[in-house]
Amino acid sequence: MNNCLLTTAASLATPARLVEPGPWIGHIPFAFWLLEQARPQRSLVELGTHSGNSYFAFCQGVLENGLTTRCYAIDTWEGDHQSKSYGEEVYQSVTSYNNQHYGNFSSLLRMRFDEALPLIPDRSIDLLHIDGLHTYEAARHDFESFRQKLSDSAIVLFHDTAVREKDFGVWRLWEELSAQLPHLNFTHSSGLGVLFVGKSQAPSLEPLLEMLQSRQGRDLVMQYFERLGQVVELKWQNAKLAQRLQRRERHIEEVRRSFSWRLTGPLRIAGRQLGRLLPSWTSGKVVASPLFRD
Ligand SMILES: C[S@@+](CC[C@H](N)C(=O)[O-])C[C@H]1O[C@@H](n2cnc3c(N)ncnc32)[C@H](O)[C@@H]1O
């Protein structure tokens, strides 16, 4: 078994941009690796971009691997009943980041998925990521309507294959589709199904497809990318925690410097002195209130 095929520089790369919401973040190492290996020639299309964690990971992969892939992100940027509606600032932020970093090969199509169909040529998509509404009916519709757009080396990714709550139904679609085609299904980070739809997959993917044929090989691929995903997620959680601490420290500093804090200084000093005196007057049970501490 050729284990070295997994441990590439791309799989270990650091994501340039991570934002809320974070359920996709754990799949970024695999996304980087897949782009490096599959090297999509024509286009990459994402159905459902929201704040851009998955999409900008794909764009970063395209850029860092020197690929010529044309990238399209399709979304109304209004949200749906599962992702909940969100504000206009999300689209503004995605647009400005896209223009700044990937504007020469990436376009944002702000419309419903069906409205974008006439804009995408048939048999042109090498990599399709389906991450819109996750009901069975919606995910099936998205897959079926974009099927004719897939190239003969196409790979389709489905997010949320592991979510079985409420009306999520990608898992059911996944069970049906994966029975017919070569595939891989990550169970971490809400699940990511990887379906090798095109009949002529890139020769560079042959070792992976071979590995997936044995239970041992499949488990190794899943474990490897799950662990890398955990590292990326943990780093992100740490960074968020550090930011929160910094904000809290800044806030405390601002309070200390504020006019009212300085004005009430004598009161706090008096309170401390009172706190020291009181225990000797009573049975020693009285403790100075935290309000009077500096
Ligand atoms: C789960 S979020 C996408 C998450 C994103 N891929 C990430 O990495 O965080 C789903 C997005 O799909 C969009 N959406 C759902 N159904 C849609 C449709 N039919 N047409 C356009 N956008 C749609 C929503 O606006 C929402 O932003």
Side-chain angles (χ1 to χ4, degrees):
M1 195 185 316
N2 180 8
N3 300 346
C4 302
L5 96 111
L6 303 179
T7 50
T8 66
S11 72
L12 302 170
T14 302
R17 178 181 185 271
L18 296 177
V19 291
E20 297 282 1
W24 215 90
I25 286 176
H27 297 300
I28 290 179
F30 177 71
F32 285 163
W33 181 89
L34 186 64
L35 281 163
E36 177 197 42
Q37 298 298 312
R39 309 189 77 77
Q41 306 271 309
R42 285 151 288 196
S43 67
L44 178 159
V45 172
E46 177 167 272
L47 308 182
T49 296
H50 196 166
S51 58
N53 279 329
S54 50
Y55 186 67
F56 288 132
F58 294 132
C59 288
Q60 185 180 341
V62 166
L63 190 71
E64 291 184 356
N65 287 294
L67 306 179
T68 53
T69 324
R70 198 72 188 75
C71 298
Y72 299 96
I74 311 171
D75 200 310
T76 55
W77 276 282
E78 286 173 355
D80 54 58
H81 79 264
Q82 289 171 339
S83 65
K84 306 281 181 266
S85 60
Y86 47 81
E88 190 61 18
E89 69 285 353
V90 174
Y91 177 65
Q92 300 303 338
S93 153
V94 170
T95 307
S96 109
Y97 191 79
N98 188 61
N99 293 345
Q100 218 178 328
H101 299 270
Y102 308 120
N104 55 342
F105 65 86
S106 153
S107 305
L108 309 181
L109 307 180
R110 191 174 197 184
M111 57 188 73
R112 299 198 62 77
F113 302 150
D114 286 352
E115 291 169 334
L117 281 165
L119 307 178
I120 314 270
D122 286 355
R123 292 184 294 281
S124 67
I125 303 178
D126 290 328
L127 188 61
L128 175 67
H129 176 219
I130 300 182
D131 196 12
L133 185 63
H134 297 99
T135 60
Y136 172 81
E137 294 73 19
R140 175 165 274 289
H141 174 80
D142 296 343
F143 177 69
E144 293 300 349
S145 54
F146 276 81
R147 196 166 196 165
Q148 62 184 331
K149 307 290 172 189
L150 300 177
S151 77
D152 55 2
S153 59
I155 297 171
V156 183
L157 306 178
F158 298 82
H159 191 223
D160 283 299
T161 49
V163 184
R164 287 175 177 245
E165 64 191 33
K166 298 181 201 151
D167 59 350
F168 280 69
V170 183
W171 63 269
R172 186 148 73 89
L173 176 64
W174 178 255
E175 276 181 2
E176 292 169 8
L177 297 176
S178 60
Q180 306 158 20
L181 290 160
H183 63 273
L184 166 65
N185 188 20
F186 294 106
T187 51
H188 67 285
S189 300
S190 306
L192 186 74
V194 185
L195 198 63
F196 298 91
V197 179
K199 288 198 166 33
S200 321
Q201 291 296 321
S204 48
L205 288 176
E206 272 165 23
L208 172 75
L209 292 168
E210 212 170 286
M211 236 174 133
L212 295 181
Q213 281 170 14
S214 75
R215 177 72 194 261
Q216 201 194 359
R218 186 176 287 267
D219 286 352
L220 189 68
V221 175
M222 287 174 63
Q223 276 169 21
Y224 179 70
F225 286 109
E226 182 171 349
R227 291 289 153 82
L228 290 187
Q230 282 167 349
V231 172
V232 173
E233 268 175 356
L234 282 174
K235 278 174 126 175
W236 183 57
Q237 298 292 356
N238 278 348
K240 281 199 302 182
L241 207 62
Q243 268 176 6
R244 217 173 294 152
L245 282 175
Q246 259 177 10
R247 270 203 301 273
R248 190 164 297 176
E249 274 166 21
R250 265 203 307 273
H251 177 70
I252 292 173
E253 200 44 45
E254 273 163 23
V255 170
R256 280 182 192 282
R257 286 190 191 158
S258 71
F259 180 65
S260 55
W261 182 262
R262 276 185 278 137
L263 199 69
T264 53
L267 204 59
R268 285 194 300 281
I269 294 168
R272 272 201 302 278
Q273 284 168 353
L274 199 62
R276 262 181 238 124
L277 287 174
L278 275 177
S280 59
W281 290 347
T282 65
S283 55
K285 284 181 188 154
V286 182
V287 178
S289 154
L291 276 179
F292 291 120
R293 290 189 199 126
D294 251 333

